[in-house]
Amino acid sequence: MKKSAPAAALSLALAFPALAFPALAAETRCGWIQNPTPANWWLDDAQNTWTIMTQGSDDEPEGMDLIPDISEHDYVRTNGNYGYACACMSVETDGRERITRILSFRQLTLAKCRSDKALKFPG
């Protein structure tokens, strides 16, 4: 019995799920990691301001627990216990403005971000 074209395509999609749903690629993003107030986090790199999470939103990305207490290393305090640091992260994004998953986090010296002319100074 010969399969119809839609049935053949469905069989192929079920047999090879990677073909049906392309995998998101990890991106390395380096720049200013900012936590100015409770539950508000973003990363400013040379290309964009990437929202990690915002207060009152249920959109906390998987892997948020990989970001340690950034105040324990090279850090600028701007608002009580809140502030900013320099970091590189391996992430998945929505391609526009939001980090949807954090795969790794590495805090860098402030000097590293300060010397990068492509980065805007946090403010």
Side-chain angles (χ1 to χ4, degrees):
M1 178 186 284
K2 191 174 185 181
K3 289 185 179 181
S4 68
L10 178 60
S11 295
L12 182 62
L14 292 174
F16 300 101
L19 296 176
F21 301 101
L24 296 174
E27 305 170 29
T28 299
R29 298 277 170 196
C30 298
W32 296 109
I33 179 109
Q34 299 188 58
N35 175 218
T37 54
N40 289 306
W41 288 86
W42 62 83
L43 179 77
D44 287 318
D45 70 6
Q47 285 78 39
N48 203 358
T49 295
W50 300 94
T51 301
I52 300 170
M53 66 184 278
T54 56
Q55 189 175 42
S57 173
D58 291 333
D59 291 335
E60 179 177 322
E62 180 183 337
M64 190 66 195
D65 59 321
L66 296 174
I67 300 177
D69 180 353
I70 61 174
S71 69
E72 292 181 357
H73 301 288
D74 211 2
Y75 171 79
V76 175
R77 191 175 308 274
T78 58
N79 179 24
N81 293 326
Y82 302 95
Y84 63 88
C86 184
C88 277
M89 303 170 70
S90 177
V91 298
E92 292 174 357
T93 71
D94 65 2
R96 295 182 308 269
E97 62 186 27
R98 184 168 285 284
I99 290 175
T100 57
R101 184 175 182 203
I102 300 167
L103 304 167
S104 69
F105 179 90
R106 187 177 83 238
Q107 192 163 338
L108 307 172
T109 64
L110 293 170
K112 184 76 171 169
C113 282
R114 286 180 179 144
S115 68
D116 187 337
K117 302 293 183 216
L119 296 176
K120 291 183 273 184
F121 195 75

